[in-house]
RNA sequence: GGGCCUGUAGCUCAGUUGGUUAGAGCGCACCCCUGAUAAGGGUGAGGUCGACUGUUCGACUCAGUCCAGGCCCA
């Protein structure tokens, strides 16, 4: 029974798979209450990393502990198959974008995802995770795509969905929207200009000879035609400063000096000083257009650069856009796909934005709005494909209105009813929902669920006949969402679907859904449409802290939006997997440790122990040192089991177990303590506090069993007659303890527990796998030991500790070596006397010495060396000779002619053995 | 920069409603055993409880500030 987990575990997996153990575990819980952990779908790319393994192992431990607590707890793993990362991988394999038709491109994406799903399944199984691996859910399943598209239609039908504008990264060269991940930053030289906006109305009106201006700074002159507001920081102080001509400028107090230093413009500061927040609602003149500009407030205004006043173009910046939303400003972006101005002054209309930069500079100069200008080299986003600088451009997108039908308020209310573990999760999700903008659902991509919208070819109106629209879902169910790309609008819609204008030709929407909408909809399918385990809401969602913004939120919004309630009853979150120094693992840092490496070097049970040993609510660290430490802990636990199994070789619980009443009191005491451990562990499993179970079990195995109980039992196990009442009592206790302990560790040490279970003697009712068993129940350990008797043993434990210290002292003085060479004289005062007399017969075994003498305390002996608290301990050499058989010393050794080298206990034991051999006709030990 | 979280011996984890010299296991040092032996047992040394400032008769435990690290945003 050597460990060698990396080799043994795969064999065990093979065996489990052949037996279809997962199915049989569920079958064994037929009729039991359901407990549903709904799996958050990972993204199928690359090899699983430590965080993914942590995720799956925790889920597995929850599912297993619930199963062992008596629930029917199926686990249906899933994958989030659509999305940009796969598209870019496939594009990389193809060599370029747009190399194949959309339908073919999607086929390749599907294939790519399938490939990695299969790799993941192997990886996850290797970790010992049990689940429905032969029927996982995939968001790219035809049925799934139909359900997701259907959910979008339902959102639309309920009136949540609207079309609005939002700025996205846009590449002028490729004429396409770019995702965050497709943008890379590079040095770029931009104009750096200071522009003045004349004040129409502001909270101050300084006396001046000239005019009154607000001063702004920008590196994108071309965004000025779309300038709709000036943003002030509510907490900054703003001042007025006068130039040589008597014009007065408004800017942040802390930016006055830097401005003069950078531009050489001389200004004289005036007395006025005013808080930024007062400028909300102020009004300004656009520098060259006939437009009034609003004063607004924004937290992102900084004092690092510029003037502390930010020109805001909601159509050309992410922050500007949110500010615009807040103040009801349009995401105005008067440029086309090539970046050419579609309206505005002749100076720049028809030019691209980069061509327009110098032209607008000229324009500003002519209008007298340019205060200063220079150049600035800074980090600027570029297209990762063509390496040209990109811009922010507002485009038409689909949104979910957070206020419609009180979605935001209801989501917060429902989140409040969820049990968040740890409970700060509630505050975190609530504050996020409270401040989040409308949900932008659309993506200008191909590999995803299409947004099912048709426009009339004639009048451009949207089709709103939902019965007809739902017809499309049938196509999806048959052919997958690929049908959207492979079939014409007329094929997809029922024959003769007409617009209210009378036309019958339609144009399909090109956008696809945000993948968060896919994953946010998983509960609609997995919790509902898999009839066998119908349970809505799920009992638990379990993911990392990044999912407060991700899956927890998207699932909640879909659940509340369509079902009026949260799809989960409780949410358990864990921390991040970090390296030994507490830094996140990354390729660039070169500190990545992969689960496959751990499995190969240490075994999956060790990786699971890594999870079980730490408080996962905070971040978890991984290091070689920790793995070494866990391996030591594992070996100790394993050897403890091994000793128990080795001593149960001739024990059949149904034939040899001793009745409760006949168990030795010492054994009953240890069983009581095991019962307590089991009881506490069940409570900890219930609260998902796995590390408490691990530490308590480890402590128990090391301290109570290995160093104490089992060590003491060796005498009984090795020297008593095999079938003697005393030895059978010990075996009964050891069997019950091992039987209980193996089930307590089964949720984390899945392979090792099964191995122990295999070698453990069983009763006829025991299941064949430890993973079908239930946690030890209170009544498995016999009647609990009387409290008074338990107290006696706790005192005897104190006695033992003190005797061990005295023995150590004797060892150092070379009086004895092994403890059996000792005789201990206990001088006891009244407090101890009664107890020691009562347990006198048990003392040599308990103290692991050959002889114990209990005597009154020596009067007047108070030197304090070994005597205190009414107990005096004196170590002497044991009397008599060493028994060859049991190694105890006894005066009786040599007195038995039949067995001259043996003590009186062994003489008796040998007699029993001979007698038993005679009765059964077989030999003894 | 903002929201949330974490910070107890070298490592992992306990520390009950604030109350006597802060506990455990591992590791380490030294010793013993050789019938769990690529084992087993014993003894012992390790902590200004992230830092500082308050509240209190008394704070690892309460409050505030800061530092370090993490997640998500900007």
């Amino acid at each position: 029974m050597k460990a060698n987990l990396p080799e043994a575990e795969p064999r065990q997996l093979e065996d489990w798979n052949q037996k279809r153990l997962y199915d049989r575990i569920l079958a064994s819980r037929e009729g039991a209450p359901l407990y549903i952990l709904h799996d958050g779908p990972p993204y199928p790319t690359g090899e699983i990393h430590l965080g993914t393994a942590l995720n799956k192992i925790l889920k597995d431990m929850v599912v297993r502990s619930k199963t062992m607590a008596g629930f029917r707890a199926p686990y249906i793993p899933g994958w989030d198959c659509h999305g940009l990362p796969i598209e870019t991988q496939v594009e990389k394999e193809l060599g370029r974008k747009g190399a194949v038709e959309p339908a073919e491109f999607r086929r390749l994406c599907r294939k790519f995802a399938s490939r990695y799903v299969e790799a993941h399944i192997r990886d996850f199984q290797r970790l010992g995770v049990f689940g429905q691996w032969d029927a996982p859910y995939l968001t790219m399943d035809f049925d799934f795509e139909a359900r997701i598209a259907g959910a979008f239609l339902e959102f639309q039908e309920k009136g949540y969905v609207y079309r609005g504008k939002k700025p996205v990264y846009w590449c002028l060269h490729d004429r396409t929207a770019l995702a965050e991940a497709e943008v890379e930053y590079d040095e770029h030289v931009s104009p750096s200009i200071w522009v003045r906006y004349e004040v129409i109305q502001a909270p101050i009106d300084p006396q001046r000879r000239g005019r009154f201006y607000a001063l702004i700074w920008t590196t994108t002159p071309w965004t000025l035609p779309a300038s709709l507001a000036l943003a002030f920081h509510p907490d900054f102080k703003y001042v007025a400063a006068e130039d040589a001509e008597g014009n007065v400028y408004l800017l942040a107090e802390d930016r006055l000096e830097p401005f003069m230093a950078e531009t050489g413009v001389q200004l004289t500061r005036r007395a006025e000083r005013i808080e930024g927040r007062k400028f909300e609602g102020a009004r300004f003149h656009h520098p060259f257009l006939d437009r009034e500009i609003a004063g607004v407030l924004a937290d992102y205004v900084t004092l690092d650069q510029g003037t502390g006043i930010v020109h805001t173009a909601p159509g050309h910046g992410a922050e500007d856009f949110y500010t615009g939303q807040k103040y009801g400003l349009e995401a105005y972006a008067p440029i086309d796909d090539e970046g050419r101005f579609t309206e505005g002054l002749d100076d720049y209309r028809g030019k691209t934005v980069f061509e327009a930069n110098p032209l607008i500079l000229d324009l500003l100069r002519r209008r007298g709005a340019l205060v200063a200008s220079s150049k600035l080299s800074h980090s600027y986003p570029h297209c990762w494909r063509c390496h040209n600088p990109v811009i922010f451009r507002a485009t038409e997108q689909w949104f979910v209105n957070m206020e419609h039908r009180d979605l935001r308020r209801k989501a917060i209310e429902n989140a409040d009813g969820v049990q968040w573990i740890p409970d700060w999760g509630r505050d975190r999700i609530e504050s996020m929902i409270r401040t989040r903008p409308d949900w932008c659902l659309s993506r200008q991509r191909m590999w995803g669920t299409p947004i099912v919208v048709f426009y009339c070819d004639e009048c451009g109106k949207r089709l709103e006949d939902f019965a007809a629209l739902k017809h499309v879902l049938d196509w999806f169910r048959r052919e997958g969402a690929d049908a959207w790309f492979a079939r014409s609008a007329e094929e997809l819609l029922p024959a003769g679907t007409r617009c209210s204008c009378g036309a019958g030709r339609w144009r399909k929407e090109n956008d696809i859904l945000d993948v968060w909408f896919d994953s946010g909809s998983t509960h609609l399918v997995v919790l509902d449409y898999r009839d066998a385990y119908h349970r809505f809401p799920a009992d638990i969602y379990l993911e990392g802290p990044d999912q407060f913004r991700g899956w927890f939120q998207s699932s909640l919004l879909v659940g509340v939006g369509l079902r009026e309630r949260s799809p989960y009853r409780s949410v358990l979150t864990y921390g991040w997997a970090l390296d030994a120094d507490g830094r996140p693992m990354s390729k660039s840092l070169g500190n990545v440790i992969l689960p496959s490496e751990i499995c190969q070097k240490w075994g999956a049970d060790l990786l699971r122990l890594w999870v079980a040993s730490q408080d996962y609510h905070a971040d978890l660290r991984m290091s070689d040192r920790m793995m070494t430490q866990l391996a030591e802990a594992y070996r100790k636990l394993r050897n403890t089991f091994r000793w128990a199994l080795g001593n149960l070789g001739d024990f059949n619980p149904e034939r040899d177990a001793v009745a409760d009443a006949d168990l030795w009191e010492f054994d009953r005491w240890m069983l009581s303590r095991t019962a307590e451990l089991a009881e506490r562990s069940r409570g900890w499993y219930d609260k998902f506090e796995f590390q408490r179970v691990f530490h308590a079990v480890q402590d128990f195995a090391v301290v109570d069993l290995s160093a104490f109980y089992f060590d003491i039992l060796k005498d009984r196990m090795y020297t008593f007659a095999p079938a003697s009442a005393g030895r059978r009592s010990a075996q009964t206790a050891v069997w019950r303890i091992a039987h209980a302990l193996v089930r307590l560790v089964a949720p984390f040490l899945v392979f090792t527990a099964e191995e122990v279970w295999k070698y453990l003697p069983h009763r006829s009712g025991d299941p064949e796998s430890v993973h079908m068993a239930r946690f030890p129940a209170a009544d498995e350990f016999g009647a609990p030991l009387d409290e008074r008797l338990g107290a006696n043993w706790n005192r005897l434990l104190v006695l033992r500790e003190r005797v061990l210290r005295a023995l150590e002292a004797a060892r150092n003085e070379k009086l004895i070596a092994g403890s059996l060479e000792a005789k201990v004289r206990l001088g006891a005062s009244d407090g101890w006397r009664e107890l020691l007399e009562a347990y006198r017969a048990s003392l040599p075994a308990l103290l692991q010495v050959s002889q114990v003498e209990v005597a009154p305390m020596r009067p007047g002996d108070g030197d304090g060396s070994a005597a205190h608290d009414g107990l005096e301990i004196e170590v002497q050499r044991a009397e008599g000779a060493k028994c060859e058989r049991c190694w105890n010393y006894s005066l009786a050794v040599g007195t038995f002619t039949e067995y001259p080298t043996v003590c009186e206990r062994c003489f008796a034991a040998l007699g029993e053995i001979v007698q038993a051999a005679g009765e059964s006709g077989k030999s003894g030990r």
Side-chain angles (χ1 to χ4, degrees):
Chain A
M1 209 177 133
K2 211 176 150 204
N4 199 6
L5 294 173
E7 279 178 35
E9 287 172 346
R11 282 200 298 274
Q12 180 64 261
L13 280 173
E14 190 55 36
D15 187 50
W16 281 335
N17 278 336
Q18 261 170 25
K19 290 177 178 157
R20 302 194 63 78
L21 185 59
Y22 170 77
D23 295 335
R24 291 172 56 199
I25 290 170
L26 283 180
S28 76
R29 294 296 187 275
E30 195 80 49
L34 264 182
Y35 186 89
I36 299 290
L37 180 152
H38 178 41
D39 190 35
Y43 208 77
T45 48
E47 186 176 350
I48 61 166
H49 57 259
L50 201 55
T52 327
L54 169 62
N55 175 290
K56 283 295 194 265
I57 290 172
L58 279 173
K59 285 170 178 168
D60 191 50
M61 297 202 306
V62 168
V63 168
R64 285 174 188 275
S65 59
K66 285 299 171 188
T67 300
M68 295 189 76
F71 288 91
R72 187 175 191 219
Y75 175 59
I76 300 170
W79 277 269
D80 192 10
C81 300
H82 296 133
L84 181 71
I86 288 178
E87 284 196 37
T88 55
Q89 294 276 359
V90 170
E91 278 173 10
K92 211 180 280 175
E93 287 179 9
L94 287 172
R96 67 190 174 89
K97 201 169 176 172
V100 295
E101 288 299 299
E104 171 65 5
F105 183 74
R106 287 176 56 95
R107 198 185 62 78
L108 293 172
C109 288
R110 188 176 288 280
K111 213 172 113 190
F112 183 95
S114 299
R115 200 160 79 215
Y116 278 104
V117 166
E118 280 180 19
H120 276 194
I121 288 177
R122 279 195 300 276
D123 291 347
F124 291 149
Q125 284 191 299
R126 178 64 189 85
L127 300 176
V129 177
F130 279 2
Q132 195 96 57
W133 299 112
D134 53 357
Y137 76 81
L138 306 179
T139 57
M140 65 178 182
D141 285 342
F142 293 176
D143 220 38
F144 221 111
E145 289 180 329
R147 272 301 298 170
I148 297 167
F152 173 76
L153 285 179
E154 215 179 322
F155 262 94
Q156 219 184 326
E157 198 170 5
K158 287 191 153 92
Y160 289 106
V161 178
Y162 70 93
R163 192 131 166 89
K165 278 188 166 180
K166 190 192 171 188
V168 295
Y169 285 110
W170 189 270
C171 177
L172 307 181
H173 181 261
D174 294 344
R175 297 193 208 179
T176 180
L178 296 175
E180 206 84 29
E182 293 176 315
V183 165
E184 54 190 33
Y185 284 79
D186 222 337
E187 282 300 300
H188 180 73
V189 178
S190 300
S192 167
I193 62 170
W194 284 263
V195 179
R196 57 191 194 184
Y197 283 51
E198 185 156 16
V199 175
I200 298 173
Q201 190 203 313
I204 51 168
D205 189 13
Q207 292 296 312
R208 73 265 180 182
R209 289 179 285 128
R211 293 169 175 268
F212 183 25
Y213 297 104
L215 190 62
I216 67 103
W217 172 76
T218 181
T219 56
T220 50
W222 66 266
T223 60
L224 289 172
S227 182
L228 298 184
L230 295 188
F232 295 75
H233 194 291
D235 300 330
F236 293 170
K237 298 285 184 290
Y238 291 84
V239 294
E242 191 171 333
D243 70 8
E245 283 117 59
N247 298 312
V248 173
Y249 296 89
L250 194 59
L251 77 171
E253 181 174 25
D254 292 349
R255 293 306 302 171
L256 177 57
E257 290 296 331
F259 165 74
M260 293 194 291
E262 283 169 41
T263 61
V265 174
Q266 284 307 307
L267 296 179
T268 312
R269 192 193 150 163
R270 311 210 349 187
E272 290 89 348
R273 192 159 176 271
I274 186 161
E275 273 190 328
R277 68 180 73 254
K278 301 252 171 68
F279 288 99
E280 190 170 32
R283 289 183 296 137
F284 308 89
H285 253 308
H286 191 279
F288 53 82
L289 293 171
D290 184 18
R291 181 189 296 157
E292 247 185 43
I293 303 289
V296 298
L297 302 182
D299 287 336
Y300 55 80
V301 176
T302 70
L303 294 173
D304 301 338
Q305 281 178 313
T307 64
I309 305 173
V310 175
H311 125 70
T312 297
H316 291 305
E319 291 170 330
D320 301 36
F321 175 71
Y322 291 122
T323 305
Q325 270 205 322
K326 199 166 139 197
Y327 288 93
L329 302 173
E330 188 197 347
Y332 179 58
I335 59 174
D336 64 15
D337 288 0
E338 286 178 59
R340 293 185 189 281
F341 282 93
T342 55
E343 52 189 77
L345 302 182
D346 292 341
D347 299 75
Y348 54 83
R349 194 173 58 228
K351 308 288 186 197
T352 70
V353 296
F354 294 113
E355 289 165 357
N357 266 342
L359 303 175
I360 287 172
L361 229 67
D362 269 352
L363 176 61
L364 289 168
R365 202 171 283 128
R366 289 203 308 278
R367 300 289 177 102
L370 189 67
V371 178
S373 83
S374 62
K375 301 258 183 221
L376 178 74
S377 175
H378 61 152
S379 165
Y380 189 86
H382 288 69
C383 175
W384 74 346
R385 217 170 303 280
C386 67
H387 303 293
N388 286 304
V390 301
I391 62 167
F392 254 110
R393 176 193 175 209
T395 55
E396 294 263 303
Q397 304 289 342
W398 293 95
F399 291 89
V400 166
N401 179 351
M402 289 296 297
E403 298 347 299
H404 183 67
R405 291 170 64 141
D406 263 343
L407 179 57
R408 189 187 306 274
R409 185 180 59 75
K410 283 194 236 164
I412 292 170
E413 274 172 18
N414 275 281
D416 193 51
V418 169
Q419 187 198 2
W420 297 88
I421 312 166
D423 58 9
W424 47 256
R426 175 177 291 103
D427 292 339
R428 186 159 179 182
I429 193 113
E430 284 188 11
S431 73
M432 281 181 165
I433 295 172
R434 189 161 282 122
T435 57
R436 69 159 294 154
D438 284 349
W439 185 358
C440 179
L441 286 182
S442 46
R443 295 291 183 275
Q444 290 69 50
R445 288 275 138 197
M446 269 186 279
W447 179 229
T449 310
I451 288 182
V452 177
V453 167
F454 294 90
Y455 303 94
C456 173
D457 229 11
E458 214 48 56
C459 69
K461 227 186 109 190
R462 249 158 71 190
L463 176 62
E464 285 189 335
D465 175 352
F466 285 94
L469 287 166
K470 280 172 189 163
H471 193 74
V472 176
L473 305 181
D474 292 334
W475 282 102
F476 285 13
R477 270 186 282 273
R478 279 197 302 273
E479 302 182 354
D482 299 344
W484 186 259
F485 299 88
R487 310 244 164 220
S488 69
E490 289 69 30
E491 277 180 285
L492 293 168
L493 287 169
T497 303
R498 299 203 161 270
C499 178
S500 54
C501 79
R505 294 195 58 81
W506 302 95
R507 185 171 58 79
K508 293 176 289 184
E509 169 66 64
N510 285 324
D511 292 358
I512 59 167
L513 285 165
D514 176 16
V515 284
W516 288 109
F517 190 83
D518 288 18
S519 59
S521 305
T522 56
H523 59 82
L524 296 175
V525 184
V526 184
L527 298 183
D528 204 22
Y529 286 70
R530 292 238 181 166
D531 30 313
Y533 308 123
H534 177 94
R535 183 165 173 81
F536 184 89
D539 289 285
I540 195 165
Y541 277 31
L542 195 181
E543 306 296 336
D546 49 340
Q547 299 306 329
F548 280 100
R549 180 152 298 273
W551 196 52
F552 298 153
Q553 207 177 129
S554 62
S555 298
L556 181 68
L557 293 178
V558 173
V560 172
L562 300 185
R563 300 294 188 78
E564 301 287 326
R565 69 158 304 170
S566 156
Y568 39 74
R569 291 179 160 87
S570 64
V571 173
L572 182 58
T573 52
Y574 55 86
W576 216 247
L578 307 174
D579 74 3
D581 303 320
R583 312 167 69 168
M585 293 186 183
S586 72
K587 277 180 197 157
S588 56
L589 280 174
N591 58 352
V592 175
I593 300 175
L594 291 173
S596 57
E597 294 169 9
I598 305 268
C599 287
Q600 216 170 349
K601 185 171 177 191
W602 304 97
D605 265 3
L606 264 293
L607 183 58
R608 300 179 64 104
L609 214 51
W610 173 76
V611 176
S613 68
Q614 299 184 68
D615 178 1
Y616 61 84
H617 295 115
D619 294 339
L620 288 85
R621 305 230 180 167
M622 167 59 83
S623 66
D624 217 55
R625 179 195 202 103
M626 273 175 80
M627 289 312 299
T628 308
Q629 179 181 331
L630 288 168
E632 286 303 314
Y634 172 83
R635 283 220 323 244
K636 184 72 182 194
L637 206 52
R638 184 183 180 87
N639 278 328
T640 305
F641 273 120
R642 194 165 68 140
W643 187 87
L645 295 179
N647 282 282
L648 294 171
D650 64 337
F651 181 77
N652 175 337
E654 285 174 335
R655 183 191 65 202
D656 304 317
V658 169
D660 284 353
D662 297 331
L663 282 167
W664 285 22
E665 191 178 303
F666 182 47
D667 300 331
R668 288 182 57 201
W669 178 53
M670 286 309 296
L671 284 169
S672 292
R673 300 186 58 167
T674 312
E676 282 168 27
L677 173 72
E679 171 73 29
R680 283 184 297 150
S681 298
R682 281 199 312 271
W684 289 324
Y685 271 121
D686 211 41
K687 291 190 282 183
F688 313 114
E689 294 179 348
F690 307 125
Q691 90 282 5
R692 290 184 190 258
V693 179
F694 166 75
H695 283 284
V697 167
Q698 172 71 4
D699 231 71
F700 188 74
V702 171
V703 179
D704 294 282
L705 297 183
S706 183
F708 177 66
Y709 187 54
F710 287 179
D711 207 44
I712 286 170
L713 284 191
K714 284 172 188 169
D715 181 70
R716 239 195 289 170
M717 289 292 196
Y718 303 156
T719 71
F720 278 38
S724 65
R727 186 160 175 277
R728 291 302 191 203
S729 172
Q731 284 182 314
T732 304
V734 169
W735 179 76
R736 285 180 177 177
I737 290 169
H739 198 257
L741 222 52
V742 69
R743 283 172 291 155
L744 291 181
V745 303
F748 45 96
L749 291 178
V750 294
F751 294 99
T752 305
E754 189 75 321
E755 193 184 359
V756 170
W757 190 256
K758 212 179 291 173
Y759 287 98
L760 194 67
H762 287 289
R763 294 166 303 193
S764 53
D766 278 348
E768 67 165 276
S769 166
V770 70
H771 301 299
M772 296 168 91
R774 294 185 183 227
F775 282 138
D779 61 6
E780 289 182 23
F781 303 94
L785 193 65
D786 186 272
E787 236 177 82
R788 189 177 45 81
L789 298 179
N792 285 346
W793 285 100
N794 282 328
R795 270 192 93 193
L796 290 172
L797 211 53
V798 173
L799 168 74
R800 183 177 138 96
E801 280 169 19
R802 287 168 60 180
V803 168
L804 288 181
R805 270 198 293 274
L807 289 171
E808 180 67 13
R811 209 171 356 246
N812 290 335
E813 287 163 21
K814 305 291 176 202
L815 179 67
I816 58 164
S819 65
L820 287 178
E821 290 170 30
K823 168 182 176 172
V824 172
R825 184 186 165 280
L826 299 173
S829 67
D830 292 347
W832 281 97
R833 189 72 188 271
E834 199 181 337
L835 180 74
L836 297 185
E837 291 291 354
Y839 288 89
R840 183 167 204 140
S842 308
L843 292 180
L846 181 71
L847 303 176
Q848 297 176 286
V849 297
S850 286
Q851 291 131 11
V852 175
E853 184 186 323
V854 178
M857 223 164 140
R858 290 196 181 113
D861 186 351
D863 65 357
S865 58
H868 55 99
D869 189 27
L871 187 66
E872 178 189 65
I873 298 164
E874 191 184 328
V875 178
Q876 306 164 353
R877 276 210 63 90
E879 296 162 359
K882 183 175 175 178
C883 166
E884 182 185 78
R885 188 167 173 276
C886 72
W887 304 345
N888 278 276
Y889 283 72
S890 168
L891 290 167
V893 173
T895 60
F896 309 103
T897 48
E898 203 178 343
Y899 303 110
T901 58
V902 137
C903 69
E904 67 279 17
R905 289 189 321 147
C906 287
F907 179 74
L910 288 167
E912 279 183 61
I913 290 167
V914 169
Q915 190 188 354
E919 279 167 12
S920 67
K922 293 180 198 158
S923 61
R925 304 187 61 176

